[in-house]
Amino acid sequence: MKTVQIGKVNFGEGKPKICIPIMGSTFVELEKEIEALKELPFDMIEWRMDFFKDIFNSNKKREAVNMIRKRLNDTVLLATFRTSKEGGQTYICKEDYVLLYKEIIDLKLVDIIDVELFTGEKEVKEILDYAHKHNVYVIMSNHDFKKTLTYEQIIDRLCSMQEYDADICKIALMPQNKEDVLTLLKATKDMTEKYADRPIVSMSMSKKGLITRIAGEVFGSCLTFGSASKASAPGQINARELDTILEIIHHSI
């Protein structure tokens, strides 16, 4: 399986990389969240664009991402618009989704974007092609906040992301019981060992799935999400505590 080098970060090698989301709805809130990142361990920052109330205002959007990039220097920056159907804050139609990502790519300030697998085949291909032509990486993702898919469905969806040529493939599911967590972990292990030719990210959400956020190096997930203050998804761990746990696991295997 190949690794993916983005800036100074090599995804798919060593312990899982830590991503912290910032979710401010205003420019001031974003500044406060970035200030709170000081002295926290992280490898990547995710700007959750769906939380930003002026995301469809071109000038405000440009101002926000300029500020984020300036404050974060050369930190790997992921831009994500999580749609309402996959747990996001804001509805967006397919046409605007494509346009938004093209505008973000054109600013030449983000390193990687998150594109949802089920946006639509035409739209996904259009965004992916545009991103790669402009040297921007793509995480392709699928989220289900209600249930966990079957083992076969998890494998199938991650393989579909590879077929689209996403750089990193991500799936996040909600467990109803311990068996769901085990299903996600087994699918992650088998995907990594048998099918994956690029890094994958998997997680089982909520407290039930907590183990999946720390066991990536054992089972094959290259990235995990930690929180600075508020979490962007159920079950996220404080970034400092997360880093300590990952270090312990890394030196134990």
Side-chain angles (χ1 to χ4, degrees):
M1 183 181 72
K2 69 179 182 181
T3 61
V4 173
Q5 183 83 31
I6 305 177
K8 299 177 181 178
V9 183
N10 196 3
F11 295 89
E13 180 180 84
K15 66 179 183 177
K17 306 307 182 280
I18 296 175
C19 179
I20 300 180
I22 52 174
M23 300 168 289
S25 63
T26 66
F27 192 89
V28 172
E29 287 181 4
L30 283 171
E31 285 190 307
K32 288 180 179 178
E33 286 191 65
I34 293 172
E35 185 67 22
L37 296 173
K38 286 185 176 179
E39 299 181 7
L40 282 178
F42 57 84
D43 302 285
M44 179 166 74
I45 295 300
E46 178 185 39
W47 179 31
R48 280 289 301 270
M49 299 185 290
D50 51 299
F51 279 86
F52 189 59
K53 69 177 185 178
D54 291 315
I55 193 59
F56 300 117
N57 181 310
S58 295
N59 290 332
K60 295 291 181 64
K61 177 169 58 209
R62 186 185 304 110
E63 182 183 7
V65 74
N66 265 300
M67 180 274 291
I68 294 168
R69 171 50 73 199
K70 184 176 180 180
R71 296 285 298 274
L72 293 177
N73 297 314
D74 60 350
T75 299
V76 177
L77 178 58
L78 164 66
T80 298
F81 189 101
R82 184 67 60 233
T83 64
S84 54
K85 71 180 188 298
E86 295 208 13
Q89 298 297 300
T90 308
Y91 171 78
I92 189 170
C93 67
K94 290 181 180 181
E95 294 79 8
D96 287 342
Y97 186 84
V98 173
L99 179 62
L100 171 64
Y101 273 119
K102 285 185 174 181
E103 289 178 344
I104 286 294
I105 291 166
D106 285 341
L107 293 174
K108 300 179 180 180
L109 294 169
V110 305
D111 304 290
I112 183 166
I113 59 173
D114 179 299
V115 178
E116 292 174 4
L117 172 64
F118 292 114
T119 300
E121 184 177 353
K122 172 181 173 293
E123 289 79 11
V124 166
K125 287 181 177 178
E126 185 175 352
I127 298 171
L128 223 87
D129 289 346
Y130 198 81
H132 286 161
K133 285 177 182 177
H134 291 80
N135 300 313
V136 171
Y137 294 87
V138 176
I139 290 180
M140 191 166 289
S141 65
N142 178 228
H143 302 74
D144 194 319
F145 282 79
K146 295 181 179 179
K147 66 183 186 302
T148 293
L149 304 172
T150 66
Y151 169 90
E152 292 78 14
Q153 287 173 321
I154 296 170
I155 296 291
D156 181 66
R157 293 188 184 185
L158 289 169
C159 286
S160 293
M161 296 173 194
Q162 285 194 158
E163 290 169 8
Y164 274 115
D165 199 28
D167 300 291
I168 299 173
C169 308
K170 175 192 174 190
I171 195 160
L173 305 169
M174 183 64 72
Q176 301 301 318
N177 48 52
K178 294 175 183 177
E179 285 71 24
D180 283 346
V181 178
L182 291 173
T183 296
L184 185 283
L185 288 173
K186 177 169 174 51
T188 302
K189 181 188 79 69
D190 288 353
M191 180 70 193
T192 303
E193 294 178 352
K194 299 177 182 180
Y195 311 108
D197 59 8
R198 65 203 66 203
I200 68 166
V201 181
S202 72
M203 64 199 68
S204 190
M205 295 181 280
S206 81
K207 291 181 179 179
K208 288 186 179 72
L210 187 62
I211 186 67
T212 66
R213 294 184 179 276
I214 63 175
E217 191 169 0
V218 177
F219 290 91
S221 180
C222 76
L223 180 68
T224 187
F225 289 73
S227 62
S229 51
K230 57 183 179 179
S232 65
Q236 277 182 10
I237 309 169
N238 173 270
R240 189 177 302 284
E241 296 172 352
L242 180 59
D243 183 60
T244 298
I245 297 167
L246 293 177
E247 278 291 329
I248 293 170
I249 294 172
H250 178 68
H251 291 292
S252 301
I253 61 176

